[in-house]
């Protein structure tokens, strides 16, 4: 039989096999966007594990639109997918909780306020509180907060952790020290939120802000034009870096306090 398979160049019909077995071996990976670098390593790790287990991942981008998310989840009903990993459901989404009663759903990072739906996430509240306490340990007393204009559980937990940290330090929270970026976590909305927050201060960013960028982002995540615009706004003057090498040198000098 094997000789005949090789001689005829036979290839099994994957879709026919899936239909016969009643499974697609496909898992939906539902994200709000792919411009946010936060999602990249999660998607890569998910794809690696699915491959090890004989599954394929289908990347589904919703642009944070509930209608698109619902459309993708319909793939579970007609057998085009065996399960779904969601990274962006709102905390009170009844459609997600309803689908979880009948299909394989796991929420990653973001999750609904319903313990009946499985989820994997970090402790955003404790993390935000630790950030505030760490900044205070470095001598900072006026600590700002930039959240997102959505009702995701992570957004709520991060702000609560921020407020808890201030409470531990006996620092009264100030409305002027808090602002919110767009619901989709886009870089542009983050820049605009930072601009609003800086306008309430002295118009300059503390070096720790830039150190955070260096720690969590590869420089080429964003274009040089985007970096130059953000740095100019933070510095309160025109900043122009013609290459990523000069950008890296500029950021390190700024963090170290070298002009």
């Amino acid at each position: 039989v094997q000789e005949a398979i090789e001689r005829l160049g036979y290839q099994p019909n994957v879709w026919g096999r899936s239909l016969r077995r009643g499974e697609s071996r496909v898992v939906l990976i539902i994200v709000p966007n792919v411009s946010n670098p936060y999602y990249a390593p999660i998607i890569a790790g998910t794809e690696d594990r699915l491959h090890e287990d004989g599954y394929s991942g289908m990347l589904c981008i919703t642009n944070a639109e509930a209608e698109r998310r619902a459309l993708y989840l319909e793939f579970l009903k007609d057998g085009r997918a065996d399960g779904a990993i969601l990274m962006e459901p709102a905390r009170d989404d009844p459609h997600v909780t309803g689908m979880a009663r009948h299909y394989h759903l796991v929420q990653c990072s973001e999750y609904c306020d319903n313990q009946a739906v499985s989820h994997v996430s970090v402790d955003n509240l404790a993390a935000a509180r630790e950030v505030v306490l760490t900044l205070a340990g470095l001598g900072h007393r006026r600590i700002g907060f930039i959240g997102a204009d959505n009702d995701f559980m992570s957004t709520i937990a991060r702000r609560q952790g921020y407020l808890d940290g201030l409470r531990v330090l006996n620092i009264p929270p100030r409305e002027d020290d808090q602002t919110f970026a767009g619901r989709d976590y886009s870089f542009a909305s983050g820049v605009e939120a930072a601009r609003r927050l800086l306008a309430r201060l002295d118009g300059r960013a503390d070096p720790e802000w830039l150190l955070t960028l260096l720690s969590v982002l590869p420089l080429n995540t964003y274009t040089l034009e985007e970096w130059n615009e953000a740095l100019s706004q933070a510095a309160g003057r025109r900043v122009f870096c013609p290459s990523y090498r000069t950008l890296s040198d500029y950021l390190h000098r700024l963090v170290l306090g070298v002009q």
Side-chain angles (χ1 to χ4, degrees), residues 107-243:
Q107 298 170 305
C108 177
S109 300
E110 304 297 346
Y111 55 97
C112 294
D113 192 11
N114 188 322
Q115 293 301 314
V117 185
S118 298
H119 73 267
V120 178
S121 187
V122 300
D123 191 340
N124 285 289
L125 190 150
R129 182 173 58 229
E130 184 176 345
V131 167
V132 172
L133 297 178
T134 298
L135 288 172
L138 294 172
H140 301 288
R141 299 297 294 174
R142 188 172 182 183
I143 301 169
F145 174 84
I146 299 178
D149 186 18
N150 59 43
D151 58 355
F152 290 178
M153 293 296 287
S154 62
T155 299
I156 296 170
R158 288 167 186 163
R159 183 167 184 270
Q160 187 58 55
Y162 165 75
L163 296 174
D164 286 355
L166 294 181
R167 190 175 300 110
V168 169
L169 298 167
N170 294 317
I171 299 175
R174 297 164 51 117
E175 289 297 325
D176 284 351
D177 290 349
Q178 304 173 52
T179 191
F180 298 89
R183 64 175 285 111
D184 61 349
Y185 299 110
S186 70
F187 181 71
S189 68
V191 169
E192 179 59 31
R195 180 193 294 129
R196 291 196 302 270
L197 191 61
L198 286 170
R200 301 169 190 168
L201 304 174
D202 61 0
R204 299 184 62 84
D206 193 286
E208 277 80 4
W209 291 34
L210 301 173
L211 181 60
T212 299
L213 290 178
L214 284 170
S215 300
V216 302
L217 295 177
L219 293 184
N220 62 2
T221 298
Y222 301 112
T223 67
L224 285 170
E225 181 180 4
E226 290 173 317
W227 275 110
N228 286 327
E229 178 187 358
L231 290 171
S232 296
Q233 293 166 0
R237 59 182 175 81
R238 172 66 172 165
V239 173
F240 176 70
C241 297
S243 68

